[in-house]
Amino acid sequence: QVRLVESGGGSVQAGGSRRLSCTASGYTSLGYCMAWFRQAPGKGREGIATIDTVGGSTWYVDSVKGRFTISQDNAKKTLYLQMNNLKPEDTADYYCATLISTNSQGCALSVVPLWQYNYWGQGTQVTVSS
């Protein structure tokens, strides 16, 4: 069974940076689509960033463009989310997820919505103070 484990969460002041990691096990490689989602207190889970692990194309929600960067290391089977210029609004539980199946249209959220992701990590909390 595929297992995803997030790490790197914690508390940071507004304007600071944090790097999240997600390591996969139980599979020979990262899934075709890897994604970061977040869920703020009292809010629904939203897609933040995705990456096509084969072609390398990325997608970001508008609210994090220019601040967050998603990347991969296939050899380590690890997904990263570099978060810069953090804002209090970024406070949330962050989850990584994978779609094992392949497609030819990339991994933008409009192409691969939340419900299509096969496996999810348990989440890591990020708290941004003002």
Side-chain angles (χ1 to χ4, degrees):
Q1 185 176 10
V2 175
R3 181 179 177 229
L4 302 176
V5 179
E6 302 98 335
S7 62
S11 298
V12 62
Q13 290 190 324
S17 298
R18 201 81 183 182
R19 187 195 192 200
L20 306 182
S21 299
C22 172
T23 300
S25 63
Y27 200 71
T28 57
S29 64
L30 292 171
Y32 177 71
C33 292
M34 297 292 294
W36 287 100
F37 293 80
R38 69 183 180 187
Q39 187 166 14
K43 304 292 184 179
R45 193 168 296 186
E46 66 170 340
I48 302 301
T50 67
I51 186 167
D52 170 352
T53 60
V54 176
S57 61
T58 59
W59 170 91
Y60 300 92
V61 69
D62 287 345
S63 61
V64 308
K65 285 182 178 178
R67 300 190 299 121
F68 291 9
T69 302
I70 187 171
S71 62
Q72 65 184 28
D73 186 328
N74 287 330
K76 296 180 179 179
K77 296 197 293 184
T78 300
L79 178 74
Y80 302 99
L81 183 68
Q82 178 66 47
M83 305 184 294
N84 297 326
N85 191 24
L86 284 161
K87 303 176 180 180
E89 305 90 88
D90 296 318
T91 295
D93 291 328
Y94 284 74
Y95 301 85
C96 67
T98 184
L99 172 68
I100 301 299
S101 301
T102 60
N103 70 73
S104 60
Q105 301 181 72
C107 304
L109 197 64
S110 61
V111 177
V112 183
L114 181 151
W115 63 268
Q116 290 192 2
Y117 280 83
N118 303 108
Y119 298 98
W120 295 78
Q122 293 298 305
T124 186
Q125 186 175 15
V126 175
T127 301
V128 184
S129 60
S130 60

